[in-house]
Amino acid sequence: MRALITGAGGLVATALVQHFHDVLALKHAALDISNKAAVDEGVTRLSPDVIINCAVIGVDDCERDPARAQRINVDGPGYLADAAEGIGAAIVHFSSNYVFDGKPVKRDPYTIQDEAHPINVYGRTKLLGEHAVTAASTRAFIIRTSWIYGPGKENFLGTVAAKLKRGEPVQAIGDTWASTTYVADLAHRVREIIDRKTFGTYHVVNDGVCSQESFARCAAELAGVPPEVADRLIEVVSEASMGREAPRPPWTPMRCLLSGQIGLAPLRSWEQALAVYVATH
Ligand SMILES: NC(=O)c1ccc[n+]([C@@H]2O[C@H](COP(=O)([O-])OP(=O)(O)OC[C@H]3O[C@@H](n4cnc5c(N)ncnc54)[C@H](OP(=O)(O)O)[C@@H]3O)[C@@H](O)[C@H]2O)c1
């Protein structure tokens, strides 16, 4: 199977590359997915069996520039799906827990039977991107995932254990909860899903629910930081106090219905995945 990965400079793409023998990984500079002519030419020339789109712009960038969000999160995925369909290839497109509004807090984890109702530009464009892909392709895997961490990305989840181990203070949001996803687990599961050839919408996350605060406390314990030191280093803050451009939905844990139907068990718990990450990075 030949895979073409777009947006290949990012976190998810970097982990995915290792799961394919025959893989063409194009970074932003090599293929701008919002350029339809370039997408058509590249896909036709490279003739992959599956296109895996990892290109995206971030949550607050979307809020600052909705037109760019539309081009990268909606139009580009549509062009890729259209080009894939033209050569009989499948497409994998990633979406997000932020398609949900996250209310009420402590409701059951979201499944694909729950109505999407995004509250920020990122979530709205991710949902429209899903629609653009499924409208153009009869061979689409939509993978909704959530709060991803892994090596090489400077986000809270990926860096908190190392910071606490070095004795650095961190601010951890305590009033927003979701599923987290270790990127190695995500990449492995995406390959399993592609191989099973059941198209549809998947929720791929580690099992369980956490906040940045509970994640940080667990990371501290796994990194061997004594509880009284962790208490001093972890400053619990509210989402509102962060002053970020885009509002975040407060409660977006997810659960997969389709994985169970094709014989794939839920991914290991977030605590187990974090333990592996902390022990190996
Ligand atoms: N990270 C998370 O916590 C999370 C959570 C839920 C869902 N997801 C989804 O997972 C997927 C992958 O996310 P990620 O975290 O791996 O993203 P990432 O690390 O931010 O990487 C995104 C990549 O897309 C590239 N890109 C931006 N505009 C492009 C364009 N027009 N054409 C081609 N490439 C372009 C970027 O390159 P430049 O930097 O050079 O522009 C960057 O290398 C996305 O669909 C995202 O919505 C992520």
Side-chain angles (χ1 to χ4, degrees):
M1 182 196 307
R2 168 176 291 198
L4 169 60
I5 301 183
T6 55
L11 174 66
V12 172
T14 303
L16 269 169
V17 165
Q18 301 155 28
H19 289 270
F20 296 88
H21 295 299
D22 186 2
V23 58
L24 307 149
L26 301 184
K27 295 185 180 175
H28 189 172
L31 178 64
D32 176 353
I33 67 157
S34 67
N35 180 337
K36 180 165 171 42
V39 166
D40 286 343
E41 189 281 321
V43 169
T44 308
R45 179 168 48 83
L46 299 169
S47 193
D49 302 298
V50 59
I51 296 173
I52 307 177
N53 177 37
C54 297
V56 70
I57 65 164
V59 180
D60 291 315
D61 285 339
C62 287
E63 212 72 12
R64 285 188 282 266
D65 192 345
R68 187 161 164 248
Q70 168 75 29
R71 287 197 299 278
I72 297 166
N73 293 353
V74 185
D75 300 343
Y79 301 153
L80 288 167
D82 200 39
E85 191 71 4
I87 61 162
I91 181 163
V92 175
H93 178 63
F94 290 95
S95 187
S96 167
N97 55 320
Y98 286 0
V99 300
F100 298 113
D101 62 20
K103 293 174 207 143
V105 165
K106 295 204 173 14
R107 49 152 291 142
D108 288 342
Y110 285 99
T111 73
I112 54 167
Q113 285 170 350
D114 291 303
E115 200 182 331
H117 185 242
I119 62 165
N120 56 32
V121 174
Y122 174 86
R124 282 195 284 280
T125 57
K126 293 304 292 182
L127 184 61
L128 290 171
E130 294 183 8
H131 296 164
V133 168
T134 52
S137 167
T138 56
R139 302 175 189 82
F141 303 96
I142 303 295
I143 312 282
R144 290 180 181 154
T145 177
S146 170
W147 286 14
I148 309 172
Y149 64 95
K153 182 129 173 179
E154 290 291 305
N155 65 14
F156 177 87
L157 302 177
T159 57
V160 65
K163 283 184 178 167
L164 293 171
K165 202 172 178 177
R166 289 196 298 266
E168 284 178 35
V170 298
Q171 288 190 320
I173 297 167
D175 60 356
T176 303
W177 297 265
S179 308
T180 59
T181 313
Y182 178 30
V183 74
D185 291 357
L186 171 64
H188 184 257
R189 177 52 54 92
V190 167
R191 178 68 212 237
E192 290 180 316
I193 289 171
I194 292 170
D195 288 344
R196 280 171 171 73
K197 297 188 172 67
T198 299
F199 304 114
T201 300
Y202 293 80
H203 288 178
V204 179
V205 294
N206 285 119
D207 209 29
V209 182
C210 67
S211 64
Q212 285 190 355
E213 178 192 355
S214 51
F215 192 91
R217 294 198 190 285
C218 183
E221 193 182 331
L222 290 165
V225 178
E228 63 280 9
V229 177
D231 280 345
R232 183 167 48 77
L233 294 177
I234 299 169
E235 180 193 355
V236 181
V237 296
S238 67
E239 172 58 45
S241 74
M242 300 298 282
R244 302 197 276 192
E245 278 89 344
R248 265 56 172 185
W251 178 270
T252 54
M254 297 195 293
R255 184 167 70 81
C256 199
L257 298 180
L258 198 45
S259 295
Q261 288 168 23
I262 62 169
L264 295 170
L267 294 184
R268 59 187 162 184
S269 72
W270 69 265
E271 294 97 330
Q272 288 170 322
L274 179 57
V276 172
Y277 179 64
V278 171
T280 53
H281 291 92

